[in-house]
């Protein structure tokens, strides 16, 4: 029997209830949450093994709260570094101090931990729940009908599922095959990231966002005495070296006392876009994580938003499989406006950071004055920590 006629004959045959395309933090969270509730899900990823690079380094309080039912929050907390303070500065001058330690949550801090570790912890949980990731398996095509969706993989095999979730990142094939537009645009600049060893004017207890006319730079502590540097630049070099990162810190970071770079352990550059999918659902196809929204890393919200999407989507899929299909629309109706807010916050921080020199004094006075208001500081703390999305 040809594949087409087998499909026609087997429209009611399902290899799995939910096919999750992509085993990044979003796909792994969704798979674990479904496995924990006894739902049959299959995860595929086109890479032979998980990426082991640092990438997103921040896990916010709200993310740890929503991960609690999966039992991964304690392990993540053990692996990470708890940071209670976030400040926005213009060189040495503190413009906005934000404290997380008074937040009404079991996790009153920002957890600094590399994305590779976060993914490993999520994968271990999935495996403990009896799940696995099939790799390397790449989705190359997708078709849907009234009762399900059929994915074609790169080896020509077919996988039929009741629902398919595109957790396949920014360049999502699932999104493209489902015909969902991804409008937005690109920032002119690139971002560079570097995990470095530093001495001097650096803190292991604070994340600092330095505003500067040349662009923003974030200096954030990571476990093991390492610091993450994130900066906007017009032209990022292919290879980051000590001298390049040092020049960024000298031009934008602390001035009274120098922060000295001794070693670049990992570096990367990427061009950032801000885009949101027109819809999170097209029939039996759902989107989550970077497949649904991308934005500037200022504020460290990207991966966190994907994990929150996944936890919310798991509940909606469980309801849909029980016949309550409208729950799938509620998922998008709830999470898409959150993505809009996340994009807007990251955008505001990026623009405020880089105001023209003539407006810099005005911006500083405005921010310093606003930061005297407890309500302003509280709102920013709730937004950055994600508690505002409860
Ligand atoms: C260099 C770098 C630095 C970053 N730094 C930060 C940061 O500091 N802060 C922050 O918040 N965010 C950062 N991000 C973004 C963050 O990594 C993403 O928001 C996060 O990874 C999104 O998770 P995801 O699971 O939605 O998608 P991804 O992590 O992109 O995972 C998608 C997965 O899908 C797989 N896949 C793709 N297409 C297919 C297919 N057709 N078939 C099968 N599998 C497929 C891929 O192999 C991948 O494993 C950074 C990203 C990069 C690249």
């Amino acid at each position: 029997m040809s594949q087409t006629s087998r499909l026609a004959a087997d429209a009611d045959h399902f290899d799995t209830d939910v096919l999750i395309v992509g085993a990044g933090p979003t796909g792994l969270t969704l798979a674990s949450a479904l496995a924990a509730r006894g739902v049959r899900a299959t995860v595929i990823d086109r890479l032979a093994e998980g990426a082991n690079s640092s990438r997103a380094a921040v896990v916010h309080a709200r993310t740890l709260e929503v991960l609690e039912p999966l039992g991964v929050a304690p392990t993540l907390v053990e692996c990470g570094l708890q940071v209670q303070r976030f400040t926005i500065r213009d060189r040495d001058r503190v413009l906005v101090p934000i404290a997380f330690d008074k937040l009404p949550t079991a996790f009153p801090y920002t957890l600094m931990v590399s994305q590779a570790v976060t993914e490993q912890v999520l994968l271990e949980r999935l495996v403990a729940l009896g799940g696995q990731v099939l790799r390397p398996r790449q989705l190359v095509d997708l078709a849907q009908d009234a009762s399900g969706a059929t994915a074609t993989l790169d080896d020509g095999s077919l996988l039929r599922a009741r629902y398919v979730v595109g957790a396949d990142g920014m360049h999502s094939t699932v999104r493209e095959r489902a015909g969902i537009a991804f409008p937005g645009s690109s920032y002119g600049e690139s971002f560079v990231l570097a995990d470095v060893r530093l001495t001097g004017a650096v803190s292991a207890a604070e994340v600092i966002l330095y505003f500067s006319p040349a662009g923003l730079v974030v200096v954030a502590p990571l476990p093991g005495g390492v610091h993450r540097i994130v900066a906007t630049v017009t032209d990022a070099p292919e290879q980051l070296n000590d001298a390049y990162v040092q020049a960024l810190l000298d031009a934008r970071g602390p001035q009274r006392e120098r922060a000295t770079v001794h070693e670049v352990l990992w570096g990367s550059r990427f061009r950032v876009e801000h885009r949101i999918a027109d819809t999170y659902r097209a029939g039996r196809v759902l989107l989550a994580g970077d497949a649904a929204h991308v934005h500037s890393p200022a504020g460290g919200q990207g991966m966190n938003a994907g994990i929150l999407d996944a936890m919310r989507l798991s509940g909606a899929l469980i309801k849909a499989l029980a016949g309550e299909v409208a729950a799938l629309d509620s998922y998008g109706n709830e999470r898409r406006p959150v993505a809009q807010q996340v994009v807007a916050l990251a955008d505001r921080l990026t623009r405020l950071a880089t105001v023209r020199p003539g407006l810099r004094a005005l911006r500083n006075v405005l921010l310093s004055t606003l930061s005297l208001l407890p309500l302003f500081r509280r709102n920013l703390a709730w937004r950055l920590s994600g508690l505002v999305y409860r």
Side-chain angles (χ1 to χ4, degrees):
M1 201 189 284
S2 75
Q3 281 182 337
T4 322
S5 54
R6 180 177 76 76
L7 270 181
D10 294 354
D12 290 330
H13 162 82
F14 294 100
D15 300 297
T16 185
D17 283 333
V18 182
L19 170 63
I20 301 168
V21 184
T26 306
L28 290 171
T29 303
L30 178 61
S32 302
L34 290 174
R37 303 278 296 273
V39 173
R40 239 177 11 139
T42 299
V43 194
I44 59 166
D45 199 290
R46 69 177 172 195
L47 298 178
E49 52 187 56
N52 60 4
S53 59
S54 189
R55 294 162 293 151
V58 181
V59 178
H60 291 298
R62 181 61 190 148
T63 311
L64 291 167
E65 284 183 352
V66 302
L67 284 174
E68 264 199 302
L70 280 189
V72 292
T75 319
L76 273 177
V77 170
E78 234 170 70
C79 297
L81 182 74
Q82 299 173 22
V83 175
Q84 268 105 9
R85 200 172 137 88
F86 170 78
T87 56
I88 298 178
R89 300 177 183 224
D90 183 341
R91 307 302 306 248
D92 298 308
R93 179 174 170 200
V94 175
L95 301 177
V96 184
I98 304 286
F100 295 118
D101 56 343
K102 299 284 185 305
L103 287 173
T105 167
F107 310 98
Y109 44 79
T110 287
L111 189 73
M112 303 302 303
V113 57
S114 90
Q115 185 169 333
V117 172
T118 303
E119 289 180 7
Q120 187 56 34
V121 171
L122 289 167
L123 178 63
E124 280 167 15
R125 186 67 192 131
L126 176 63
V127 171
L129 288 163
Q132 59 167 328
V133 178
L134 304 179
R135 47 167 93 233
R137 300 268 208 294
Q138 181 171 0
L139 176 140
V140 292
D141 203 1
L142 184 62
Q144 53 174 324
D145 51 62
S147 61
T150 303
T152 306
L153 308 191
D154 53 346
D155 60 0
S157 63
L158 302 175
L159 256 176
R160 188 159 168 78
R162 291 178 203 278
Y163 293 101
V164 173
V165 177
D168 49 345
M170 180 176 170
H171 304 288
S172 168
T173 308
V174 172
R175 186 185 63 231
E176 188 225 314
R177 289 292 187 267
I180 301 175
F182 200 38
S185 58
S186 174
Y187 287 102
E189 307 110 333
S190 298
F191 277 79
V192 294
L193 291 106
D195 288 353
V196 301
R197 293 206 185 277
L198 284 177
T199 54
V202 286
S203 165
E206 186 176 339
V207 174
I208 305 175
L209 167 56
Y210 289 98
F211 283 177
S212 141
L216 62 81
V217 64
V218 177
V219 181
L222 283 171
V226 174
H227 276 79
R228 159 65 59 91
I229 311 295
V230 184
T232 46
V233 295
T234 339
D235 276 313
E238 208 171 313
Q239 290 294 331
L240 296 184
N241 57 24
D242 299 9
Y244 183 83
V245 181
Q246 185 66 62
L248 279 175
L249 286 176
D250 288 345
R252 309 177 184 190
Q255 210 165 12
R256 254 193 314 267
E257 190 193 344
R258 199 176 190 220
T260 307
V261 178
H262 295 287
E263 192 184 357
V264 174
L265 301 168
W266 172 81
S268 181
R269 61 173 182 173
F270 63 108
R271 200 161 271 284
V272 178
E273 312 201 350
H274 44 103
R275 298 182 182 278
I276 301 182
D278 266 353
T279 174
Y280 280 21
R281 177 185 176 204
R284 292 182 168 270
V285 178
L286 287 309
L287 299 179
D290 274 20
H293 46 75
V294 289
H295 51 82
S296 142
Q301 302 289 318
M303 180 186 75
N304 289 272
I307 292 175
L308 263 57
D309 287 348
M311 290 305 287
R312 178 67 184 79
L313 181 55
S314 67
L317 281 166
I318 288 165
K319 285 185 182 164
L321 287 166
E324 202 188 314
V325 177
L328 296 175
D329 290 324
S330 307
Y331 155 71
N333 292 341
E334 196 181 296
R335 293 300 304 166
R336 197 171 172 279
V338 169
Q340 286 169 323
Q341 290 177 44
V342 166
V343 171
L345 173 69
D347 194 51
R348 267 199 305 276
L349 286 174
T350 309
R351 285 181 202 289
L352 269 177
T354 51
V355 294
R356 284 187 282 120
L359 293 174
R360 190 171 157 202
L362 180 66
R363 174 205 64 197
N364 289 358
V365 169
L366 192 72
L367 280 179
S368 308
T369 311
L370 281 173
S371 76
L372 295 174
L373 304 172
L375 189 65
F376 175 80
R377 293 199 307 273
R378 178 191 179 276
N379 283 348
L380 201 48
W382 275 65
R383 195 154 286 281
L384 288 168
S385 63
L387 295 188
V388 73
Y389 306 122
R390 266 178 181 160

